[in-house]
Amino acid sequence: MSHSVLCGDFAHYQDPDEEWSVDGFRTAEAAAEYARRFIRDQVEGLRGEYPDPAALEQAFLAFGEYAIAPGFELKPWLAHCIAQPATKRADTDYQALDPNP
């Protein structure tokens, strides 16, 4: 059994034409870790322009891209990412986990 991560753009939330799937993760945890890093990368990309935590959250929900994976909850993870900036490249390197490089 393989697991997938559904990604999309909040500006076009749940528009099937604006969503894509990253398939082939061996475990649900691997898919969730991809989603975590994907979201953190989005947050870190916006942090410089939106240093205020509330503004950063609003910007992410307006301009960012989402990821949906088994066992992954966006809201608590988003709050964590906003409160705790990434400190190492691996925190945001979701591409390294892509099962289809």
Side-chain angles (χ1 to χ4, degrees), residues 47-67:
R47 189 181 300 280
E49 195 173 341
Y50 301 94
D52 175 72
L56 179 55
E57 180 178 17
Q58 283 185 320
F60 172 78
L61 294 173
F63 310 120
E65 295 176 334
Y66 57 86

Side-chain angles (χ1 to χ4, degrees), residues 37-57:
R37 291 184 188 190
F38 183 86
I39 296 302
R40 186 178 278 283
D41 185 62
Q42 294 289 309
V43 170
E44 295 305 325
L46 292 167
R47 189 181 300 280
E49 195 173 341
Y50 301 94
D52 175 72
L56 179 55
E57 180 178 17

Side-chain angles (χ1 to χ4, degrees), residues 50-95:
Y50 301 94
D52 175 72
L56 179 55
E57 180 178 17
Q58 283 185 320
F60 172 78
L61 294 173
F63 310 120
E65 295 176 334
Y66 57 86
I68 301 169
F72 173 68
E73 293 185 41
L74 175 62
K75 283 199 163 249
W77 181 247
L78 177 59
H80 171 79
C81 291
I82 290 171
Q84 303 292 324
T87 59
K88 12 179 221 226
R89 177 169 158 59
D91 292 343
T92 59
D93 190 8
Y94 65 91
Q95 296 98 335

Side-chain angles (χ1 to χ4, degrees), residues 12 14-20:
H12 304 284
Q14 292 186 330
D15 178 347
D17 293 332
E18 299 294 329
E19 290 183 327
W20 65 95

